[in-house]
Amino acid sequence: MRKYSIALMKGDGIGPEVSQAALAVLDAISEKFSLDFEIVDAPAGDIMLKKRGEALPKDTISAVRDSDACLKGPVGESAMDVIVKLRQMFDLYANIRPAKSYPTIKALRPDVDLVIVRENTEDLYRGIEADMGDSAIAVRVISRRASERIAEYAFKLAASRRKNVVAVHKANVMRKTCGLFAKVSREVSQRHRGIAFREMYVDACAMNLIRNPQDFDVILTMNMFGDILSDEAAQVVGGLGLAPSANIGDKKALFEPVHGAAPDIAGKGIANPIATILSVKMMLEWLAFSKKDVNCAKAAESVERAIVSGLKKGIKTPELGGKSSTEEVGRLIAKLIF
Ligand code: ATP
C-alpha cells in the first residue's frame, strides 16, 4: 500500500466544513484503492493570525515542505499572506483552473470542457507598487523564463486533451510585456507542431467565453488575466462551488478550491464542498503523474464518476437548487466511490 503525506490547510470561513467533506471522500478512496493518506494538520490564515500573530507560521511551512502534496481550504482576509507566499516559496508557477459542465448543473452550455493555465509568479501581482505624489504606479514584470515554462506546461497539457492552445494577451496595447509573452508562446508552439495554436486578445477572450465557451480547450495566459478569466469561466459552468484549482511547481503542488472563505454562509453547513473534492481529484492526478502511481490515476477518475452520479441523484447544496448539507454531500459522494 503506497503512503502519501498530505498537508491539510483547512483555512477560514467555510474552509473547515468543505475540507471535512473532502476528507470523507479521501477516506473512501484510501479504502477502495489501497492508498494510505497521512493527513498532517497545517493551520494557516486568519485563525492563525489571531492565535499566533502570523497567518503562515513556520511549522505550517515545514509541514507543507515535508508533505507529498498540500490540500488547502480558502483563507479569509490574510489570503495574500498565505497563498501568495506559498506560491513564491515553493515556486508553484502553474495555476491550473479547469471549467467543465456537469450534468444537471445550469451552465451556459452542456459541452464546456476547458482549462485555464495561468502563470502564477509574476505580472502586476508581484505587488511592486509605489505612491508618486497624487498618483500611484505598479510595475508589471513578465520574463522570458516564466513565460516559457508556463507555455511548455500548457502545450504538454493540451497534448493529453483536445490538442488546442489559445494564448491570451493584449499585445496590441502592452507591446513590451504582453508582446514578450506572445512572442515566447509562439516560439514554444513551434516545438509542439501537433497542437493547434492561436492567439486572442483578452477582451475578445472574455467575450468568447460567454459566446462560444465550448470552443476552448487550453487557455494559456498571464497572472492577472488568468485570475479574472477563470472566475468568469467558473460562472459559465455553474458557479464557484464547483471550481477547483491546482498550483503546480517542479517539485511541489498545492490544490485548493477557487472560491474564498464565503463568510456569509460559514458555519451554516450549506457550503458546496464539490470544488474542494474536485481539487482532491486534481491532487490524485498529480500524484499519479509525479509518483507514477496508477492507483492514484484510477482514484482520480472515480472521484469524478462519484460526483457525476451524485449530481444525477440530486445530491446538491442549496446554491445549486438542492437540499443537501455540506456534510451530506461529502458523505454521499464518498459512498459512490468505486
Ligand atoms: P475572496 O475575496 O476570498 O475570493 P469573496 O467573499 O469575494 O472571497 P467568495 O468567498 O469566493 O468570494 O464567495 C463569493 C460568494 O459565493 C459567497 O458569498 C458565497 O455566497 C458564494 N460561494 C462561494 N463559495 C461557495 C461554496 N463553496 N458553496 C456555496 N456558495 C459559495
Side-chain angles (χ1 to χ4, degrees):
M1 189 186 271
R2 286 188 69 175
K3 186 169 179 174
Y4 297 107
S5 139
I6 309 296
L8 177 66
M9 209 170 274
K10 290 185 184 158
D12 304 309
I14 59 172
E17 300 162 58
V18 294
S19 301
Q20 205 54 44
L23 280 186
V25 176
L26 210 51
D27 273 349
I29 288 166
S30 180
E31 201 180 295
K32 297 273 162 45
F33 293 91
S34 301
L35 292 162
D36 185 3
F37 297 106
E38 183 202 2
I39 307 297
V40 181
D41 205 23
D46 296 357
I47 190 165
M48 293 316 278
L49 191 59
K50 214 167 160 192
K51 253 192 208 167
R52 309 239 301 250
E54 48 182 354
L56 187 62
K58 282 199 178 65
D59 39 347
T60 293
I61 297 169
S62 304
V64 175
R65 179 167 290 124
D66 297 341
S67 67
D68 290 303
C70 177
L71 183 63
K72 178 186 159 295
V75 165
E77 295 298 316
S78 55
M80 287 303 141
D81 296 326
V82 177
I83 189 61
V84 175
K85 270 196 187 160
L86 287 169
R87 283 172 183 162
Q88 284 166 1
M89 218 173 261
F90 295 106
D91 199 19
L92 306 174
Y93 64 88
N95 191 204
I96 312 302
R97 295 185 167 195
K100 189 170 173 179
S101 331
Y102 283 105
T104 80
I105 301 296
K106 262 194 210 146
L108 282 187
R109 288 187 56 106
D111 52 356
V112 180
D113 184 2
L114 63 88
V115 180
I116 296 182
V117 174
R118 160 189 171 196
E119 204 289 322
N120 221 7
T121 64
E122 47 184 34
D123 200 346
L124 283 168
Y125 287 10
R126 274 274 183 93
I128 308 171
E129 296 189 303
D131 291 316
M132 281 192 119
D134 282 343
S135 305
I137 59 158
V139 176
R140 185 169 198 233
V141 181
I142 301 292
S143 70
R144 166 171 282 280
R145 174 178 172 265
S147 303
E148 192 165 347
R149 66 180 178 174
I150 196 70
E152 274 295 341
Y153 192 100
F155 278 92
K156 283 182 187 141
L157 178 65
S160 67
R161 295 175 47 92
R162 303 199 307 280
K163 301 187 172 42
N164 192 312
V165 172
V166 179
V168 173
H169 53 73
K170 189 76 181 168
N172 54 338
V173 176
M174 287 177 278
R175 295 194 178 128
K176 295 289 178 197
T177 50
C178 279
L180 176 62
F181 184 81
K183 181 167 175 263
V184 173
S185 302
R186 248 171 263 144
E187 286 170 11
V188 173
S189 79
Q190 295 298 312
R191 296 182 213 142
H192 299 268
R193 297 298 186 117
I195 310 284
F197 174 71
R198 65 196 160 117
E199 294 171 53
M200 199 177 278
Y201 293 136
V202 64
D203 43 353
C205 181
M207 182 181 72
N208 287 327
L209 270 175
I210 305 288
R211 203 160 65 168
N212 299 312
Q214 74 285 359
D215 284 354
F216 291 102
D217 178 20
V218 174
I219 294 176
L220 160 65
T221 192
M222 289 155 280
N223 205 343
M224 191 168 79
F225 294 162
D227 188 18
I228 298 165
L229 293 175
S230 57
D231 269 27
E232 183 188 353
Q235 286 305 321
V236 166
V237 294
L240 283 172
L242 296 166
S245 77
N247 296 270
I248 295 180
D250 286 332
K251 295 199 180 89
K252 188 66 59 207
L254 178 150
F255 303 83
E256 58 176 349
V258 169
H259 62 73
D264 54 329
I265 55 166
K268 295 185 177 160
I270 55 169
N272 189 347
I274 293 182
T276 309
I277 298 172
L278 282 170
S279 304
V280 167
K281 174 194 169 243
M282 295 182 83
M283 180 176 85
L284 291 164
E285 283 168 344
W286 182 77
L287 286 172
F289 172 77
S290 61
K291 311 281 181 191
K292 300 193 174 31
D293 186 337
V294 205
N295 274 1
C296 283
K298 287 184 190 158
E301 284 170 17
S302 86
V303 172
E304 188 158 53
R305 256 196 327 264
I307 289 173
V308 169
S309 65
L311 291 173
K312 285 183 178 163
K313 286 176 196 289
I315 301 169
K316 289 179 197 171
T317 39
E319 101 286 2
L320 293 179
K323 290 199 171 79
S324 309
S325 68
T326 310
E327 186 273 330
E328 276 166 345
V329 173
R331 180 163 42 84
L332 297 173
I333 290 178
K335 272 194 180 166
L336 293 166
I337 295 284
F338 67 92

